[in-house]
Amino acid sequence: MRGLQSATSTFPLCPAVQSRIMSCEKGDGDPMEDPLFILESGEVYRNPTEVKMSQIVMPCHANHCGELSVGQLLKWMDSTACLSAERHAGSPCITASVDDIHFEHTIGVGQVVNIKAKVNRAFTSSMEVGITVSCEDLFSSCQWNVCNAFATFVARRTEEGKVRLKQVIPRTQTEQMEYSIAAERRRMRLTHAEIITDLLSSNTAQLECQEYQGAVSAERTRVESVELVLPPHANHQVSTFGGQIMAWMENVATIAACRLCNAHPTLRTIDMFHFRGPSHIGDRLVLKAIVNNAFKHSMEVGVCAEAYQGAGALRHINSAFMTFEVLDKDRKPRTLPRIRPEPDGKRRYQEAIARKKIRLDRKYIISCKQTEVPLSVPWDISNQMYLSYNNVSALKIMAARSNWMLSSEKNKVSLYTLEENQILCFKVETHVTVPAEQAFHLLSDLRRRHEWDRHYQKCDVIIQADEDDTIYRVATPCVSKGGKGQDFILLASRRKPCDSRDPYLIALRSVTLPTHPATEDYTRGEVLCAGFSIWEESNAVTKISYYNQATPGVLPYISNDIAGLSSSFYGTFHSCNKYLEENRDSLVVLTFCCYCL
């Protein structure tokens, strides 16, 4: 503990930071060192868009608790991410949006903040930048993760016109995984606002404002502050720095939260938000915040930023929702006073309840590690988007693995296995002389899978959620004599390629529906991650890869093949090839008929 004594003799550390240092010194830390990647040529590889920033936390950066202000951290994060985006674009870039940020730990005075940003994927004129923030204690050599974030940046127009970004070329397994999932995150961003609006409108009608004894009036928490945008607040493009706007918003949100609980709150999450317009030097930025609702251990604060110049009209710059907690001396969340909404605040009060459920779904389904998510997650309309995202992302992560081992090969059908952390995955790969799009449409209809897969005895559609997501009930025959068959409730999520470097995807995972409980006739099986990746290699040749993360419900059907005691899967995929070729022309005729109609 000598290092800790040296640290505390100069900078008094908060209990959370001391606890984190002690756990690291015991060997429980999570070092954030960068592993080197050696190319086949022997060259040490580093991502060309990667930018790193390290800052030591001074008292001027800290709050009353001796912890780094989140507003200051947001400025550093935005600055680092912007530099990474501009390195890739070769032109000025602006912040368009930031995904959800969950702050896992705090950072104390005297410690070092390490921020790393790199471009995960570039689209036409926008790009996703991944940001990792870790903290380093110089006296104990301990490092730990603080937060991860994804920001979208847009390249500004130049005198030559709109900038068309060059493609990112992933070189490592991690880069390939992030590149692939970035397309799915972009899809979720583009539909996020519309889906949230639909969910809120359907949920808030069922919610009522409850009266609590001793509740605090929401009006008491209202904060309004104005900031004059000066040159130090602007970036090198003479626009108000996005990180500066976020810092000002965090400041007024913290004041609003303080007024509710008469204590100093800790910011835990910032919901996904979009910058709706630019701000420039000379603007007056009006920042408004109010506590929308308070729950047992957390509160939601809504923040709005508007700008004007002179006698001009207000321009909406940004809105955000931030979740705060108040911690006791043991760093446990305190019980908060309830809020009493004003008549004009009942809508915000009700929407905060709906957003809390959405937030929990999002964190539970998306943020959890794969091993922490139960096999079957309850499906409903409020978590459809996040379950679909998790479904496709899990398949993309499995497909991006580079350490698959060839187990056996027969008749141009290859079986690969991968075993990590006591989890067995397998991949079956083959080529067919059918165009990729036609193979995608034929394989994505699970109702016809029994035509080539004997393990699919019966398949019925339960819910057609939308064009891309369908929930099926699949019945399979029993494996052993005298046993019962299995049934599965599967969410099938389809994705067409975002561009030529993406495959067609059909992702499968188990979900639960209250309308379809397990029955006595079948044993309810579960699928954690499975599906098809369909690559177009030429106009007539397609590579099909089938992936499955073996669960107790799936393993009996494949264990003999993996052990080399059987080759039944070769016959299954030979039948699949035959099915695709026989139905290739029928799909073309069907498409032509639909076009004519």
Side-chain angles (χ1 to χ4, degrees), residues 21-90:
I21 293 173
M22 292 172 67
S23 67
C24 288
E25 291 184 338
K26 293 176 182 177
D28 300 329
D30 183 20
M32 300 295 292
E33 295 181 0
D34 296 330
L36 295 177
F37 184 78
I38 310 298
L39 300 177
E40 293 182 359
S41 61
E43 177 188 357
V44 177
Y45 170 74
R46 178 178 175 181
N47 190 302
T49 69
E50 183 177 282
V51 173
K52 294 182 179 181
M53 176 187 286
S54 293
Q55 297 278 357
I56 190 164
V57 179
M58 305 300 290
C60 61
H61 302 140
N63 58 21
H64 64 286
C65 295
E67 298 171 353
L68 174 63
S69 161
V70 173
Q72 180 62 59
L73 178 58
L74 291 171
K75 287 199 286 186
W76 287 339
M77 291 169 63
D78 190 52
S79 176
T80 310
C82 183
L83 293 174
S84 174
E86 292 183 345
R87 175 176 284 184
H88 179 74

Side-chain angles (χ1 to χ4, degrees), residues 337-369:
R338 294 293 185 168
I339 201 81
R340 184 178 68 253
E342 300 302 314
D344 65 344
K346 289 185 177 180
R347 178 185 58 83
R348 292 193 300 268
Y349 179 96
Q350 293 170 331
E351 289 181 351
I353 300 174
R355 267 191 301 271
K356 182 186 179 186
K357 182 190 183 304
I358 295 168
R359 200 175 290 122
L360 289 172
D361 286 338
R362 193 162 56 220
K363 180 181 177 182
Y364 179 65
I365 296 169
I366 295 179
S367 301
C368 288
K369 296 178 181 178

Side-chain angles (χ1 to χ4, degrees), residues 571-585:
T572 299
F573 279 85
H574 177 73
S575 298
C576 177
N577 194 335
K578 185 178 179 181
Y579 161 78
L580 293 173
E581 291 182 350
E582 288 178 349
N583 289 276
R584 173 177 52 190
D585 296 334

Side-chain angles (χ1 to χ4, degrees), residues 434-488:
V434 176
E437 185 174 7
Q438 294 180 13
F440 169 69
H441 287 294
L442 288 167
L443 293 175
S444 62
D445 187 357
L446 298 191
R447 293 171 299 181
R448 299 189 62 182
R449 186 159 166 174
H450 69 276
E451 296 181 31
W452 60 271
D453 188 351
R454 63 183 179 84
H455 295 134
Y456 270 56
Q457 199 171 48
K458 186 179 180 184
C459 183
D460 300 313
V461 174
I462 301 176
I463 298 174
Q464 183 70 55
D466 56 31
E467 182 182 356
D468 295 323
D469 294 304
T470 308
I471 299 179
Y472 296 90
R473 177 186 176 272
V474 177
T476 64
C478 61
V479 179
S480 57
K481 293 182 179 180
K484 293 191 295 184
Q486 289 193 102
D487 69 343
F488 300 81

Side-chain angles (χ1 to χ4, degrees), residues 216-480:
V216 177
S217 170
E219 194 61 29
R220 176 184 167 185
T221 69
R222 188 183 296 275
V223 180
E224 182 171 327
S225 179
V226 64
E227 298 282 355
L228 175 62
V229 181
L230 299 172
H233 304 138
N235 56 25
H236 50 291
Q237 306 159 42
V238 201
S239 298
T240 312
F241 197 44
Q244 180 63 67
I245 296 175
M246 289 188 279
W248 281 334
M249 294 174 71
E250 185 269 338
N251 178 60
V252 294
T254 301
I255 296 172
C258 284
R259 288 180 176 175
L260 173 70
C261 57
N262 296 324
H264 296 289
T266 299
L267 179 60
R268 283 303 183 205
T269 62
I270 303 176
D271 286 3
M272 181 188 298
F273 61 86
H274 300 261
F275 284 94
R276 301 177 183 274
S279 170
H280 307 284
I281 293 175
D283 276 350
R284 280 70 171 171
L285 220 62
V286 180
L287 302 130
K288 302 175 183 177
I290 190 171
V291 176
N292 292 330
N293 205 334
F295 308 99
K296 186 174 182 180
H297 293 134
S298 65
M299 70 184 92
E300 180 193 278
V301 180
V303 196
C304 173
E306 298 173 315
Y308 71 94
Q309 282 206 359
L314 286 171
R315 311 188 311 274
H316 187 192
I317 302 298
N318 194 4
S319 292
F321 299 101
M322 304 184 183
T323 304
F324 289 85
E325 294 176 348
V326 177
L327 306 179
D328 60 20
K329 61 180 181 180
D330 298 320
R331 309 296 293 178
K332 301 295 183 183
R334 274 175 37 184
T335 301
L336 300 176
R338 294 293 185 168
I339 201 81
R340 184 178 68 253
E342 300 302 314
D344 65 344
K346 289 185 177 180
R347 178 185 58 83
R348 292 193 300 268
Y349 179 96
Q350 293 170 331
E351 289 181 351
I353 300 174
R355 267 191 301 271
K356 182 186 179 186
K357 182 190 183 304
I358 295 168
R359 200 175 290 122
L360 289 172
D361 286 338
R362 193 162 56 220
K363 180 181 177 182
Y364 179 65
I365 296 169
I366 295 179
S367 301
C368 288
K369 296 178 181 178
Q370 193 73 15
T371 55
E372 296 174 352
V373 180
L375 294 184
S376 291
V377 177
W379 181 94
D380 62 50
I381 192 65
S382 69
N383 67 8
Q384 174 191 337
M385 178 174 67
Y386 311 117
L387 268 176
S388 180
Y389 168 88
N390 176 271
N391 193 15
V392 175
S393 298
L395 179 60
K396 287 185 172 185
I397 290 172
M398 192 189 304
R401 301 284 190 187
S402 59
N403 50 340
W404 291 96
M405 300 292 293
L406 179 62
S407 177
S408 55
E409 188 173 15
K410 181 179 179 181
N411 297 333
K412 297 182 181 180
V413 178
S414 303
L415 173 64
Y416 297 84
T417 58
L418 186 154
E419 190 170 357
E420 285 185 345
N421 301 322
Q422 298 182 335
I423 296 176
L424 176 65
C425 303
F426 65 89
K427 174 176 74 170
V428 181
E429 198 165 85
T430 187
H431 287 77
V432 297
T433 55
V434 176
E437 185 174 7
Q438 294 180 13
F440 169 69
H441 287 294
L442 288 167
L443 293 175
S444 62
D445 187 357
L446 298 191
R447 293 171 299 181
R448 299 189 62 182
R449 186 159 166 174
H450 69 276
E451 296 181 31
W452 60 271
D453 188 351
R454 63 183 179 84
H455 295 134
Y456 270 56
Q457 199 171 48
K458 186 179 180 184
C459 183
D460 300 313
V461 174
I462 301 176
I463 298 174
Q464 183 70 55
D466 56 31
E467 182 182 356
D468 295 323
D469 294 304
T470 308
I471 299 179
Y472 296 90
R473 177 186 176 272
V474 177
T476 64
C478 61
V479 179
S480 57

